[in-house]
Amino acid sequence: MDVYEAIEKRRTIRVYKKKATEDQIRKIILAGAKAPSGGNRQPWEFIIVDDEKIIDQLSEIKYQLNRKFPPQAGETQKEVESRAVSQKKSFENASVVAVCCGLEQAASAWLCVENISLAAVADGLGTGIVSYWGEAKKQAEKLLGIPADHELACVLKIGVPGEEGTPRKRRPEFSWLHQNRF
Ligand SMILES: Cc1cc2nc3c(=O)[nH]c(=O)nc-3n(C[C@H](O)[C@H](O)[C@H](O)COP(=O)(O)O)c2cc1C
């Protein structure tokens, strides 16, 4: 698949029909690990999480995190709760990979995430990023046994897509482009 096609087709997937196979995961993680990195330090570590108990706890931590979001303009508390429930449910039928990195090395890890996401599309898979911050991030890091000199960049869900992704909302093309100065 042409790289532009993969970029166009990549969408955040929050409904999965089937997990990716171990071979599929290893192939796309390998594409991830070909990302550029500061000083070529390759500061990334990946954890394939196939223990359903751990996956369940990761989804619960995310649920508890997102249900604390203040409602957006015009949103009710019930809608916040329902979005948090969807975040938990989005782990269903998905393979889970935690992307970790050395402290302050997150930029390199995120480049891996994009490589993985595009490679997944080329292989007929979908991905979804799950981010954690604050106490929830610390809980997830403890759960995953991430050592103190590393941190969690994000958790990736990977699998056969069960949806096309939400309708695309994009800023108008080139509305973000400047010349010489901001
Ligand atoms: C840094 C980062 C954190 C994200 N965290 C989450 C998340 O916790 N849960 C989620 O459902 N999507 C998450 N996303 C996905 C975005 O919501 C998604 O990329 C955005 O809505 C655009 O949709 P698209 O990826 O389908 O183009 C995250 C994306 C990025 C880049």
Side-chain angles (χ1 to χ4, degrees):
M1 183 185 286
D2 174 65
V3 71
Y4 282 93
E5 191 184 343
I7 288 169
E8 208 52 55
K9 287 195 170 151
R10 185 215 56 80
R11 298 304 317 278
T12 291
I13 299 301
R14 299 187 181 89
V15 180
Y16 295 88
K17 280 199 230 161
K18 212 170 119 192
K19 287 180 187 272
T21 65
E22 169 112 17
D23 282 352
Q24 285 175 315
I25 294 172
R26 290 177 77 94
K27 184 178 171 207
I28 61 176
I29 292 180
L30 199 54
K34 299 208 167 126
S37 62
N40 195 25
R41 280 188 288 275
Q42 303 164 58
W44 41 71
E45 307 286 335
F46 305 94
I47 308 172
I48 295 178
V49 184
D50 57 8
D51 180 331
E52 290 301 329
K53 278 196 280 240
I54 301 179
I55 294 176
D56 198 52
Q57 288 174 76
L58 285 171
S59 72
E60 179 64 22
I61 296 169
K62 181 61 176 168
Y63 163 63
Q64 295 296 343
L65 176 64
N66 277 39
R67 69 197 297 252
K68 287 187 207 113
F69 269 152
Q72 289 167 9
E75 201 181 32
T76 63
Q77 197 55 51
K78 219 170 146 192
E79 284 164 334
V80 173
E81 177 66 18
S82 141
R83 281 202 293 125
V85 170
S86 311
Q87 287 286 313
K88 184 170 168 73
K89 274 179 72 72
S90 70
F91 282 79
E92 287 174 10
N93 303 319
S95 299
V96 172
V97 173
V99 182
C100 315
C101 56
L103 302 177
E104 320 253 317
Q105 305 288 318
S108 304
W110 283 104
L111 292 170
C112 294
V113 169
E114 186 63 354
N115 269 13
I116 292 171
S117 304
L118 295 176
V121 170
D123 287 347
L125 296 168
T127 54
I129 294 169
V130 185
S131 44
Y132 297 87
W133 56 90
E135 271 311 305
K137 182 176 168 190
K138 287 188 194 145
Q139 280 174 33
E141 286 171 339
K142 190 169 171 210
L143 176 67
L144 293 164
I146 298 174
D149 56 352
H150 281 72
E151 64 176 312
L152 178 65
C154 69
V155 164
L156 267 181
K157 295 164 296 189
I158 304 165
V160 177
E163 63 161 1
E164 286 186 357
T166 51
R168 203 158 219 164
K169 282 189 239 155
R170 288 279 183 233
R171 288 169 60 191
E173 286 181 6
F174 302 115
S175 64
W176 25 253
L177 183 65
H178 309 265
Q179 198 160 2
N180 295 326
R181 289 172 61 79
F182 188 98

